[in-house]
Amino acid sequence: VGAIVRSASLHEAEFPNTMLAIARAGAGTNNIPCDRCASEGIVVFNTPGANANAVKELVIAGLLLSSRRVVPAIEWAKTLKGNGSEVTKMVEKGKSAFVGPEIRGKKLGVIGLGAIGVLVANAANSLGMKVYGYDPFISIKSAWNLTHNAVYVKDLKEIYENCDYITVHVPLLE
């Protein structure tokens, strides 16, 4: 018997003695009791990078939504309902509150340059952002895949001091 899990916690789960393996559909295994599984002879593995592109897209969407103040603008637009002919004037008067800065030319700090972090860094670079990357354990594969335009930093302080936005892509460890 085997199990595939995404984000559900298995820490309190009881496993049948026929369980051979648990696969995590995604990066990390913090939702699986790895020590207990090892003692019971259950193999645990994950699929790092399998959902990396989807996560990258969500990170970029979040960056754009927050920078351009899209959600507050939608909420504000909902308040205009029922104002008839006054809506045009209200829009002209109020829309400037939701302009937000463009991300082109801004600096993005990417902490963790694994499968997701590298994709986020490369996408941000393609959108015209200056990318600062930090990962003391960067793999050769990640280094090869990282845009040559990224500034690789060895101290988080450099990201905190220079970047307009910061995104974190590291495993949850003690």
Side-chain angles (χ1 to χ4, degrees):
V1 174
I4 299 173
V5 65
R6 185 153 176 90
S7 56
S9 176
L10 299 182
H11 288 282
E12 304 302 320
E14 294 294 324
F15 305 126
N17 51 2
T18 56
M19 180 72 75
L20 298 174
I22 300 173
R24 168 76 186 350
T29 56
N30 58 309
N31 57 327
I32 301 169
C34 294
D35 291 340
R36 181 164 54 104
C37 288
S39 69
E40 295 178 22
I42 301 170
V43 177
V44 174
F45 56 97
N46 62 356
T47 57
N51 62 347
N53 191 65
V55 174
K56 171 213 58 176
E57 290 177 0
L58 290 171
V59 170
I60 296 299
L63 178 66
L64 291 167
L65 285 168
S66 63
S67 182
R68 302 299 290 184
R69 302 184 186 130
V70 173
V71 174
I74 290 169
E75 294 303 316
W76 173 76
K78 289 177 183 177
T79 69
L80 301 177
K81 186 175 181 178
N83 287 293
S85 63
E86 294 299 309
V87 169
T88 302
K89 290 178 188 174
M90 293 170 77
V91 167
E92 286 305 313
K93 184 178 178 184
K95 69 181 182 182
S96 63
F98 306 103
V99 173
E102 293 183 1
I103 62 170
R104 182 174 195 78
K106 297 292 189 284
K107 297 173 185 171
L108 175 67
V110 181
I111 300 172
L113 295 169
I116 296 168
V118 166
L119 289 177
V120 170
N122 293 346
N125 177 70
S126 294
L127 291 169
M129 298 185 84
K130 181 69 176 179
V131 176
Y132 289 70
Y134 172 83
D135 191 330
F137 306 106
I138 190 168
S139 71
I140 293 171
K141 181 180 178 185
S142 289
W144 274 104
N145 288 324
L146 182 63
T147 175
H148 71 279
N149 293 322
V151 176
Y152 185 76
V153 300
K154 294 181 180 179
D155 187 343
L156 286 171
K157 185 177 177 186
E158 195 169 342
I159 284 181
Y160 301 146
E161 290 175 349
N162 291 298
C163 295
D164 302 295
Y165 305 90
I166 299 173
T167 183
V168 181
H169 304 280
V170 299
L172 177 63
L173 302 170
E174 291 298 325

